[in-house]
Each structure stands twice: as C-alpha cells, then as structure tokens.
Amino acid sequence: MLRSSSRFAATRVQFHGVVDAIEAELPIPLTSEVAWRKDTRATDTEPRLHSARIDRAMNVIIASIALVLVSPVMLVVAVLVKLTSPGPIFYSQPRVGIDRRRSSGGSNIYDRRNRDLGGAPFMIYKFRTMCIRAEPGNCAVWATKADARVTPVGRVMRKLRLDELPQLFNVLNGDMNIVGPRPERPSIFSRLRVDVVDYPLRQRTKPGITGLAQINQSYDTSLDDVRRKVRYDLEYLQRKGVREDLRIMAKTVPVVLFRRGGW
C-alpha cells in the first residue's frame, strides 16, 4: 500500500477501490456580504524561512508514528461506518493545495496555462460521515450544525475529529502537512478568494490537518468566520517553524479530547 524512497519528498500513498470520489464541482451560493477590508493588506506575507527537508522529515515521521498508534481506532471506525450506513468507508474530495508558483524552486505539478485554481489540486481522504448523495447535483454545500445529512456514527466522528484521520495518508503523500491552513474545495475557494481579502495568501504553505485557526475556532458558518480564520492562517505563516508546529500539535490534543469546536 505504501511506496517510499530515500527522499522524504517522494513518499507516496495510494488507495485502491475503497474511495468514493466526487466527479464534479459547481459554485456554492454564499450569503451576500460586504467584503471585509483591512487598512493594511498582508500582501507581503510569506512563510518564515526554514529547512524544507527538516519540515518534510518531521511531518513524515509524525504521520507514520500517528498511523501506527491510531490504526486500531481507524479499524473500529471503518467497521462502524460500513455496518451502520450504505456506501463506501472512505470519502475523497478535490481540494486546493499549495500554490507552488510562489514557492522556491517551483514545480510543474500543474499547468499554469490551465484554469487558475489558486494552488495545486489534490484529493483529500476522510472517513465518510454523511449519507451517500448528500449533495444533489454535486453542488458544494457548507455543513451546518445538526446537519441532517450526517449519519449517527458520522456525528460522533465529526465531534471527535476522527473523520480526519485518513488525512495522515495525505501527509505521507506530500499533499498536506500535519499543521497548516485547512484546504478548501475548488468551487468554494474560487468564491472565497473574491469575497475574503488575502484569502489566496493561505496557499503559500501546504494545507494541514490541524492549524492555528482550528485550535482557536470551530467550523465555518459564515464569511465572518472565514475572515477570522484567514487572520489566524496569516499569523501562522509568519510564525511557521518546527517549534510552532509542535506547539499547535500539542494544543490540538485537548481540542479533540474535550470535543471543543467539533459538530
């Protein structure tokens, strides 16, 4: 299942036959609000300089250890999902990743001549928490509190953030880090980068499973929530480093254990 080499950056993971992918994305109709603007724009925000190799090594090591430790939990969750609702165990969805055009030594992971998605697209992995065909017409819809589409087991998983555990494979793939801004769907991203100032600046680093915004705020329910999270994300970019990542990881534990911010 895993294929790796001596270079951490080349570590890849693939799922076969157990993931239900979303085939199409349509724009999400968000509530019309006056775009918030700050007096001083963070147009010059850049991640702190640090060793990419050290960062990659730390993420691969922590993700590998975490997978070993949580594998019994993941097995139990997988069985519960399969037994309690029809449909696949895992759920995959396109997300917008790092904008490599701004990173040093840029990569041709996606063709710049194509439609600008704002970053390199990738497929994110989750345990399925909703019933199948939860989005009629494949139109992106924000999840809400007490969302009727969420299964009973899925509700518990979302509260404990257990549905995010398969993203450890995304970290091994190199699409994500343990810590970073949460990745968004292309259709939602295309709207938010218009309605929320400085939103695209989040893409200057890899997205993460947890982040400074996630330990300080719950799920998004409005554009104001997104704006607050963007400020946390830009603050993280300025403080990014091994010590900051370890601090955020440590603060994520009580968030999960005491079920703060989850639905």
Side-chain angles (χ1 to χ4, degrees):
M1 184 174 180
L2 301 181
R3 181 172 79 251
S4 62
S5 68
S6 58
R7 292 179 61 85
F8 286 108
T11 306
R12 303 296 298 173
V13 181
Q14 294 181 343
F15 283 100
H16 297 282
V18 293
V19 179
D20 183 31
I22 297 298
E23 293 83 5
E25 288 261 329
L26 296 175
I28 181 171
L30 300 180
T31 303
S32 176
E33 298 183 23
V34 177
W36 170 77
R37 292 292 182 270
K38 295 182 292 186
D39 293 334
T40 56
R41 291 173 59 85
T43 52
D44 295 327
T45 302
E46 292 287 351
R48 288 183 56 188
L49 295 177
H50 64 287
S51 172
R53 290 186 178 182
I54 293 177
D55 183 73
R56 178 64 180 146
M58 179 187 72
N59 277 277
V60 169
I61 291 171
I62 293 178
S64 299
I65 294 174
L67 274 172
V68 173
L69 294 177
V70 302
S71 56
V73 176
M74 293 180 69
L75 179 60
V76 172
V77 170
V79 171
L80 289 174
V81 172
K82 191 64 178 177
L83 294 179
T84 57
S85 64
I89 295 173
F90 297 100
Y91 175 70
S92 71
Q93 196 177 67
R95 297 292 172 102
V96 179
I98 186 173
D99 186 353
R100 296 189 183 277
R101 293 170 298 180
R102 291 185 175 274
S103 60
S104 57
S107 168
N108 292 325
I109 193 166
Y110 67 105
D111 190 347
R112 301 181 189 183
R113 294 169 297 180
N114 291 340
R115 182 167 62 97
D116 180 17
L117 296 177
F122 70 97
M123 298 300 290
I124 197 171
Y125 303 126
K126 291 187 175 188
F127 282 118
R128 182 176 57 82
T129 61
M130 293 187 176
C131 58
I132 56 176
R133 294 183 292 276
E135 294 180 337
N138 289 329
C139 183
V141 179
W142 260 341
T144 59
K145 197 169 185 177
D147 198 315
R149 300 171 299 166
V150 179
T151 65
V153 170
R155 199 169 303 282
V156 175
M157 284 195 292
R158 292 170 69 88
K159 191 71 174 177
L160 298 175
R161 312 294 178 100
L162 297 178
D163 57 317
E164 313 286 359
L165 290 178
Q167 288 162 44
L168 291 169
F169 291 107
N170 285 115
V171 175
L172 294 181
N173 275 347
D175 298 321
M176 297 176 64
N177 284 338
I178 300 293
V179 177
R182 287 296 294 167
E184 192 50 89
R185 299 170 66 169
S187 60
I188 299 179
F189 181 93
S190 65
R191 178 65 185 272
L192 291 179
R193 68 177 172 181
V194 173
D195 289 344
V196 180
V197 67
D198 295 331
Y199 189 82
L201 298 180
R202 305 164 69 254
Q203 310 310 119
R204 296 187 178 185
T205 188
K206 286 184 181 180
I209 299 176
T210 185
L212 188 61
Q214 282 62 52
I215 63 175
N216 285 287
Q217 191 169 316
S218 182
Y219 291 124
D220 300 332
T221 58
S222 68
L223 287 177
D224 284 336
D225 289 341
V226 176
R227 290 172 184 134
R228 281 189 288 269
K229 282 190 174 180
V230 167
R231 279 176 271 180
Y232 281 121
D233 291 334
L234 298 185
E235 180 182 347
Y236 168 72
L237 285 178
Q238 296 174 331
R239 296 161 54 178
K240 179 176 170 60
V242 172
R243 180 179 297 180
E244 178 67 7
D245 284 359
L246 292 175
R247 185 185 74 87
I248 292 174
M249 290 180 207
K251 288 197 170 186
T252 299
V253 175
V255 170
V256 173
L257 292 180
F258 298 106
R259 297 182 290 180
R260 296 206 303 265
W263 290 345

